Each structure stands twice: as structure tokens, then as C-alpha cells.
Amino acid sequence: MIKQVKIPNDMQWADIVDEIEMDVEDTDMILWVGSADGHYAMPWDSFKRLFQDTEYRVQGGYCALASDLVVVLTDGSWYEQADNGYLYHRWPPQLQLNYRPFEKVVGQGSSSLGELNEND
């Protein structure tokens, strides 16, 4: 007999395979799923088969998703977990033809490099 655990309503849970399938428009583009450092990896089909019914708590704590889990796509972009527990699509930085050097990297609050150096 399988014992089921009642999940309190104030905890938000998600199925990892369902979340990836909702976030990635075309799962055929998934190159691999694993750790951000690349030491652990497996093809999407293997990941999907192994973790089909695996739930995690979105806000972390007990049953939290591995913090370094990434879903790498064939176009060089990837999905990673942010501090809030949700997966976000990230693109590698692209050097622009009209790039400029900068002099400031520290400022008030969470300013961007552009905001810090806009008067230079």
C-alpha cells in the first residue's frame, strides 16, 4: 500500500517534467538536462522517463529542486532556476558591434552598467 502525503495548500508544488514542457516551446530543442557545470547530464528523453512524476516545492526548502539544474537548448540558450524557484530562459551575452568600454561597475541599488556609465 502506498502512503500519500497531504500537501498543505500554502506550499506550491510543481512537476519538473511538466514545468519544462510548459516553459520550453519545442522540447525537441533540448540538448541535455543536468548541472550548470556540466558534470552531470542526460538527454531529455532519459530525464523525462526517469523524472516523469517528480514533484518539487517551488519556494525551496524540503523537496527543493537542485539549485544548479539547467536545461540546455540546441540554440545555445538555457533554462535555469532563479531564487524564486521558477525556471527562466537565459541567453548567452552577445557582443554588440557598437560596444563601449566602461569606467564604473558599482553604484546605488541594482543599477545596470548602462545606467552607471550613461554620462560617460
Side-chain angles (χ1 to χ4, degrees):
M1 175 180 265
I2 298 174
K3 182 179 178 183
Q4 294 195 353
V5 178
K6 182 169 173 51
I7 300 170
N9 290 334
D10 62 340
M11 292 184 191
Q12 186 173 359
W13 291 76
D15 180 289
I16 185 58
V17 171
D18 289 347
E19 287 298 308
I20 292 171
E21 288 179 332
M22 282 189 321
D23 291 338
V24 180
E25 291 180 22
D26 181 4
T27 56
D28 288 338
M29 290 185 63
I30 298 176
L31 191 58
W32 56 273
V33 180
S35 61
D37 64 8
H39 285 111
Y40 296 92
M42 65 177 61
W44 168 243
D45 290 342
S46 298
F47 181 89
K48 183 177 177 178
R49 193 171 37 258
L50 187 60
F51 298 106
Q52 183 64 51
D53 296 318
T54 301
E55 291 187 338
Y56 67 98
R57 187 167 171 212
V58 174
Q59 296 300 322
Y62 180 73
C63 291
L65 190 60
S67 62
D68 63 342
L69 184 77
V70 294
V71 178
V72 179
L73 305 182
T74 57
D75 64 2
S77 65
W78 68 93
Y79 284 81
E80 67 182 20
Q81 182 181 198
D83 291 338
N84 64 5
Y86 292 98
L87 295 173
Y88 286 93
H89 193 188
R90 306 286 190 214
W91 291 89
Q94 299 293 315
L95 184 62
Q96 301 298 310
L97 295 176
N98 59 347
Y99 73 89
R100 301 180 316 169
F102 50 91
E103 296 178 4
K104 299 173 190 163
V105 294
V106 175
Q108 190 92 8
S110 59
S111 302
S112 68
L113 279 176
E115 292 166 336
L116 292 171
N117 292 278
E118 64 187 8
N119 293 327
D120 292 345

